Each structure stands twice: as C-alpha cells, then as structure tokens.
Amino acid sequence: MAVILTEKAAQHVARFIQKRGKGLGLRFGVRTTGCSGMAYKLEYVDAADPDDQVFESHGVKVFVDSKSLPYIDGTELDYAREGLNEGFKFFNPNVKDACGCGESFKV
C-alpha cells in the first residue's frame, strides 16, 4: 500500500509548509460528494491521528486515514501548471469512472 508524491508535488508541499511556518505534511483522503460519489480532500497536517497511515516521498510525509486508504491506494499526486491554471493532479489506479466536470470519481 502506498501513496506517492512526485518530486514536483513534494517541492510544492514543502514550500507551502515552510511559508506556513508549521506542519508535519499533507493529509490526503476522500469524502462523499459529487455526481460520481467521491472527491479528493487535501489539507496540511499539524498533528497526526492515531489511525493514519504515513507515507513519505521526496522528504514529505503524506497522512492517509484508514477509511480513505482503500480508495486511494497506489495514487500518485503530481503538481502541474497548465497555462494560467495550477494544482494537484491525481493518478489513481482504482478509479472506474469520473464525472464530466472532473470533481468526483467512482471506484
């Protein structure tokens, strides 16, 4: 089981944590929403939860709660700029379908 950050994503997270002045890493999970059922959620972690699985990529820790892990196991997070837009891109091998707007997915 693993969640992986690309080098570019890890650098982005590390820079943001440094600007914030605190943080242990990035929390990555899913929530129920949207027309396909689930959406990704990201937030910075200041304290780990007891049920977290912790993965490390390029020196940055990714915290995943045990309920989210089956849906995002094997996911690679990248950070990309495309024209005027920038943000995280998710490459999740578990996704079977996604909504047209790209906000939610189904496994």
Side-chain angles (χ1 to χ4, degrees):
M1 296 186 143
V3 173
I4 301 163
L5 294 175
T6 64
E7 187 173 355
K8 193 179 284 187
Q11 289 171 350
H12 175 77
V13 172
R15 276 193 305 268
F16 196 85
I17 289 172
Q18 185 177 12
K19 284 181 188 177
R20 250 179 118 227
K22 64 179 181 176
L24 301 175
L26 182 70
R27 180 172 308 286
F28 177 44
V30 294
R31 59 187 166 87
T32 304
T33 189
C35 50
S36 290
M38 292 184 198
Y40 299 112
K41 61 180 181 177
L42 293 170
E43 59 189 19
Y44 290 94
V45 176
D46 294 327
D49 291 333
D51 74 334
D52 283 340
Q53 293 283 329
V54 183
F55 305 97
E56 190 167 333
S57 294
H58 305 283
V60 174
K61 292 181 181 176
V62 180
F63 297 78
V64 180
D65 67 271
S66 60
K67 291 180 183 177
S68 295
L69 188 56
Y71 303 107
I72 58 177
D73 183 30
T75 299
E76 179 183 74
L77 281 81
D78 192 14
Y79 193 82
R81 285 187 180 176
E82 295 174 353
L84 298 175
N85 298 319
E86 64 180 281
F88 285 98
K89 291 193 167 270
F90 306 94
F91 301 98
N92 184 343
N94 305 302
V95 171
K96 303 289 184 234
D97 193 22
C99 70
C101 66
E103 292 296 318
S104 63
F105 66 95
K106 188 184 307 182
V107 293

